[in-house]
Amino acid sequence: MVMSSIIRVVTRVSSSRVVTTCCRRALYSTENKARYYTKKHEWVAVNGDIGTVGISSYAQDALGEVVFVQLPDVGRELTTGEECGALESVKAASEVYTPVSGTVTEKNDTAESTPSLINKSCYEDGWLFRLKLSSPEELKQLMDQTAYDKYLEESH
Amino acid sequence: MLSYRYITRVFCIKQSNVKTLSIQRLYSDNVCKTQKTPLYDLHEKYGGKLVDFAGFLLPIQYADMSVSSSHLFTRNSSSIFDVSHMLQTNVYGNDCISWFESICPVDLKGMADGTSSLTVFLNKNGGIIDDLIVTKVKDDQLYIVSNAGRIDVDKQHMQETSEAFKKNGKDLSIEFLSITQRALIAVQGPKAASVLQPLTNIALKDLMFMSSTVGQVAGVNCRVTRCGYTGEDGVEISIPADKANTVTEALLQSSDVKLAGLGARDSLRLEAGLCLYGNDIDESVTPVEANLTWLIAKRRREEANFPGADIIMRQIKEGVSKRRIGIRIEKGAPARKDAVLKDKEGRDVGKITSGCPSPSLGGNVAMGYVVEQLKKPGTELLVNIRGKDVPCNVSKMPFIPSRYYVKK
């Protein structure tokens, strides 16, 4: 926990990174973007043609403290439902499957080096990867927040 | 999709043919087939995240601590685990020792009253039916604790073998203690004895590792056995079911002890190099292959009259083709059950049987079987994790030194 805050502080002090971080935040922040969910608890939030992917709060809680993160490399082309990474806690392993098709544009290096970020901030700092959507119509197959909440209530 | 493949394998032994178990299944309210332990209400009260383990509702962890924090708390202080799901059995009669020695390779005759031993039920091929702790209460009384995932098999095995024995006019009776009668808790960690001592009339300084006695704990008559499944000092306390709550709450008054769940129990036992039945040992392996040759007592080797003795004695003499070993992965993902082990030339040389990140050491620990020629600690191997070959080393077990309460 101490480690992660140190890393973040250092990132922000480095002046060139501050700009990058701020721009990215403005550009890709999922704060006000609608999230769409899979039945297996991944979410994607879309800005333009870029989707940001993470796991839901329910999933991070079920998995427990994440201690190892493996994410898809930039440039990799993914088809919806494809296995593209893994999260490991002491008690369990879970594969990550992409909720939509596209080409990976970025992965969250901070989450890879500080896996507990996924537990602390699964919708913001703990996102997993971004991809350029190749078939945006796939989003229609996913659940919006209301549908996902209902799904959690009914089936869990 | 998040599939809880590995957790299924580790925690639902009875469903070992089910490869995936979604989160829905783990946390479902549809748990009519699962049994509650006498400490169920206490788990709820303290925020236990309950899962189905071998047909019992048990906490995988508690709300206030992650699995790794709970693991480390056990190593530094102490933890209470509800292990009431395990099968407790009393055996009575003048011939109980000769019966028990006919199904296990242990030297009960040579053991002092009030001492305990790890042993195994063996099939006729020398395969391991279950591993268990047997206590020789006295010449005509035994107390056995065996695995929850093997309750039906163990009961049938004990019943069938004892019936055959009794037909020959032997004096023997078996009493299986049901979960509604009897609870079992494990108090584990360097502070376990200091937490327990103020509550009991048993002099814990005289109760050595692998010995057992009866006494009062928090005013309740209990059996206390100095043993465990973490590599730490500690005890298992067998308690009348209706008093389990009283005893556990009394222990929890100390700030040196917290409740811990199945998650920490699994990572603790792995670091301690202890086998999980159904993963690391089963009916297809012998104690020799499982690197448990020490379970075949000296006297029993001479007599060679336990099940599978011909095969096991030949293996001891001539060697085996595979052996259970420890595996250390310094960096990267943990290897889980069924990950393939390869030599440096890329040939398949074995398989992982269980593994996890190591909270005490960092990196990952695992157990598995490799071909005999590669069993030496330090041997460099590769383990295939999700398609990638990751470097690993054969390691001595336990991965961390055991701290049992033994005479120095």
Side-chain angles (χ1 to χ4, degrees), chain B residues 89-194:
Chain B
T89 307
N90 287 321
V91 187
Y92 305 95
N94 291 324
D95 297 306
C96 68
I97 288 179
S98 52
W99 164 71
F100 197 77
E101 287 197 351
S102 74
I103 57 174
C104 292
V106 66
D107 180 9
L108 269 183
K109 281 181 195 156
M111 280 167 55
D113 288 1
T115 62
S116 311
S117 179
L118 174 67
T119 186
V120 282
F121 290 142
L122 293 172
N123 66 26
K124 64 181 189 328
N125 301 317
I128 301 170
I129 297 170
D130 198 6
D131 64 330
L132 55 123
I133 301 281
V134 60
T135 297
K136 180 180 177 180
V137 178
K138 47 189 179 172
D139 281 340
D140 60 357
Q141 190 182 340
L142 307 177
Y143 165 69
I144 299 163
V145 177
S146 57
N147 283 306
R150 300 293 280 173
I151 285 179
D152 295 343
V153 174
D154 288 351
K155 277 186 174 175
Q156 197 187 348
H157 186 62
M158 285 190 261
Q159 244 150 5
E160 283 175 5
T161 52
S162 63
E163 288 308 318
F165 218 74
K166 279 193 274 190
K167 271 185 192 148
N168 296 328
K170 305 281 185 177
D171 174 27
L172 180 67
S173 72
I174 296 185
E175 177 195 19
F176 300 118
L177 302 172
S178 86
I179 196 156
T180 53
Q181 283 176 284
R182 205 80 187 169
L184 188 67
I185 61 168
V187 190
Q188 298 284 300
K191 293 187 180 166
S194 62

Side-chain angles (χ1 to χ4, degrees), chain A residues 105-119:
Chain A
T105 58
E106 197 180 350
K107 61 175 175 173
N108 189 351
D109 297 329
T110 316
E112 257 185 344
S113 57
T114 315
S116 59
L117 207 54
I118 294 165
N119 299 102

